[in-house]
Amino acid sequence: MATEQGRRPEQPAEESGRTAGRVTRRRVRTRAKLLDAAFEVFAAKGFGRVSIEEVCEAAGYSRGAFYSNFDSLDELFFALYRQRADLIAEQVAGALALDGPDLDVPAAVDRVTEVLLLDLDWLLVKTDFLVHAARAPDVAQTLLAHRARLRRAIADRLARARGLAALPAVLGEADGAAHAVVAAYDGVTTQLLLDKDVEGARVWLKQLLTALLTDGSGTPQ
């Protein structure tokens, strides 16, 4: 039967569903490639020095593909930070959960240190985001929310651990210890950005975290 002039024939529901599935999968791949390309470009040049065209060129897409996924570079930058920050929070929580109800502090410190020191490119992008957030209150709230999630993962694990030595009084309870862990990471990675000594930073961070969470000897009291 002929269709009305100017109208497309309706697709069967099954075919329409397959088409939508293909579009959705393609869009997911496109978004992922844009995020990966943006990570490389932001790490190399810094946020504020990158154009949409540069991200598109690195990903192999047009501006149309960009705007079908993101409204602006700011939105892409938010998505990139959330992706990486969520991954790190999940990895930290996973590393802390491997001991079961007990907590082998030195082993946990080793695992968490390996996760937190992800790579220099991530630290560059994270620092760009921090500077950007310091000048934009709404952006700062996004960053604070992700830092709070990381601290909660640490604090929850410390609170549930059996046989853990009493934390130093100056830190208070598990929440205070979690703040101290994140602060230690911030300080060590600031030095790492300057001297690029990843192994030295890893050793120093392990020493700091061990001192914070034990009597400093490497084993709980």
Side-chain angles (χ1 to χ4, degrees):
M1 182 174 65
T3 61
E4 296 179 27
Q5 186 174 3
R7 291 183 57 187
R8 296 176 59 185
E10 293 184 2
Q11 287 181 300
E14 183 179 350
E15 182 179 344
S16 178
R18 287 197 300 268
T19 301
R22 288 196 297 271
V23 170
T24 300
R25 288 193 295 272
R26 184 166 63 246
R27 183 166 184 174
V28 168
R29 287 195 299 269
T30 300
R31 183 181 176 88
K33 288 187 68 174
L34 285 167
L35 286 170
D36 289 343
F39 181 80
E40 295 178 4
V41 177
F42 284 142
K45 302 187 67 173
F47 183 72
R49 299 183 179 182
V50 173
S51 67
I52 290 175
E53 287 78 10
E54 287 173 300
V55 173
C56 292
E57 182 179 353
Y61 289 121
S62 66
R63 287 175 64 94
F66 179 94
Y67 283 116
S68 69
N69 287 275
F70 304 103
D71 290 334
S72 64
L73 276 178
D74 275 358
E75 184 182 344
L76 182 148
F77 198 47
F78 283 138
L80 178 63
Y81 184 85
R82 283 195 297 268
Q83 179 193 66
R84 302 285 170 147
D86 286 349
L87 173 62
I88 289 177
E90 291 167 4
Q91 289 174 328
V92 168
L96 290 172
L98 291 178
D99 291 318
D102 297 311
L103 183 62
D104 181 343
V105 172
V109 165
D110 284 346
R111 293 193 299 268
V112 169
T113 301
E114 294 296 329
V115 170
L116 286 175
L117 289 176
L118 191 60
D119 57 41
L120 286 167
D121 284 346
W122 161 246
L123 295 177
L124 287 168
V125 173
K126 184 174 77 76
T127 301
D128 271 347
F129 194 85
L130 175 62
V131 172
H132 184 47
R135 294 187 174 93
D138 56 331
V139 180
Q141 291 306 310
T142 299
L143 180 58
L144 287 170
H146 284 283
R147 289 172 67 84
R149 179 183 172 190
L150 181 59
R151 289 196 304 269
R152 283 196 301 272
I154 297 170
D156 289 350
R157 185 63 185 99
L158 292 176
R160 288 185 288 105
R162 295 191 311 227
L164 180 67
L167 296 168
V170 69
L171 296 180
E173 300 300 326
D175 285 344
H179 273 81
V181 168
V182 175
Y185 168 65
D186 288 341
V188 169
T189 53
T190 296
Q191 181 68 25
L192 173 59
L193 281 171
L194 300 176
D195 64 22
K196 307 295 190 294
D197 184 2
V198 176
E199 291 306 313
R202 182 176 292 114
V203 169
W204 182 227
L205 185 57
K206 287 179 181 179
Q207 292 172 345
L208 283 176
L209 296 184
T210 300
L212 282 170
L213 301 177
T214 71
D215 66 352
S217 68
T219 56
Q221 295 176 352

